[in-house]
Amino acid sequence: MGDEMNSDRLTVWRLSASYRHLATAARMVALDPNALVLDSGAPALQADMVSARLDCPSFFCSRQQFVLILAELVRDGLSFDVALHEIDRRSGVSVAYATLHPRLDDGTMRLLRGIEPGMAAYMSEMNDNIERVFEQMTRQIGAGPSYGRLQ
């Protein structure tokens, strides 16, 4: 997956969580509210109960804000998913993705290794990298409230 493979596609990190949790974290890091996309057509009054997503990089979300929002979710022990998506530049539709957090279960990983060993290795490596980042965030959050250290 990557821009170098197909210039008609863009690779983005996609963070999915409840709208309520993402919106709270977004306010804490001064994220433009337009960055959050509801996953369903729920009315605004029910938005807290549905999931939402945040893509990075995007026009509304910097990499730093993305990491800070992840840090807020990790700090609060909230549930979320992180995936890499290939987005068709013309339509904005996700054409391929790899779920990275939480990890795929062992059975699914064995199946993936049998079908696509390169992708399985890539996903394992990315999972390891994400877990290291989460561990670092947890340590930094425990050391104090300053966001300045999350760079």
Side-chain angles (χ1 to χ4, degrees), residues 18-138:
S18 79
Y19 177 79
R20 175 183 294 163
H21 297 150
L22 279 178
T24 299
R27 280 190 298 276
M28 295 179 83
V29 303
L31 180 75
D32 186 315
N34 292 311
L36 301 181
V37 177
L38 291 174
D39 286 340
S40 74
L45 293 174
Q46 297 174 359
D48 280 357
M49 300 186 193
V50 299
S51 62
R53 68 181 189 266
L54 172 64
D55 287 351
C56 181
S58 74
F59 181 76
F60 296 110
C61 182
S62 71
R63 291 172 199 254
Q64 181 181 14
Q65 287 172 311
F66 189 82
V67 170
L68 291 173
I69 287 173
L70 271 174
E72 286 297 324
L73 297 175
V74 169
R75 180 191 66 148
D76 293 339
L78 301 171
S79 176
F80 60 90
D81 297 324
V82 176
L84 281 174
H85 281 256
E86 276 193 12
I87 308 296
D88 180 292
R89 289 181 192 267
R90 291 178 301 266
S91 68
V93 172
S94 177
V95 295
Y97 72 95
T99 300
L100 300 173
H101 179 81
R103 281 185 183 268
L104 294 177
D105 62 90
D106 291 338
T108 304
M109 282 303 291
R110 278 193 301 276
L111 180 62
L112 184 58
R113 279 187 204 99
I115 297 170
E116 187 67 48
M119 178 56 82
Y122 174 75
M123 288 177 66
S124 290
E125 179 184 343
M126 293 304 290
N127 266 306
D128 292 344
N129 291 342
I130 287 171
E131 287 178 0
R132 278 193 290 278
V133 168
F134 291 163
E135 288 170 11
Q136 181 181 2
M137 283 186 213
T138 301

Side-chain angles (χ1 to χ4, degrees), residues 6-25:
N6 187 339
S7 62
D8 293 335
R9 295 182 181 174
L10 171 66
T11 302
V12 299
W13 291 92
R14 179 165 288 169
L15 172 62
S16 300
S18 79
Y19 177 79
R20 175 183 294 163
H21 297 150
L22 279 178
T24 299

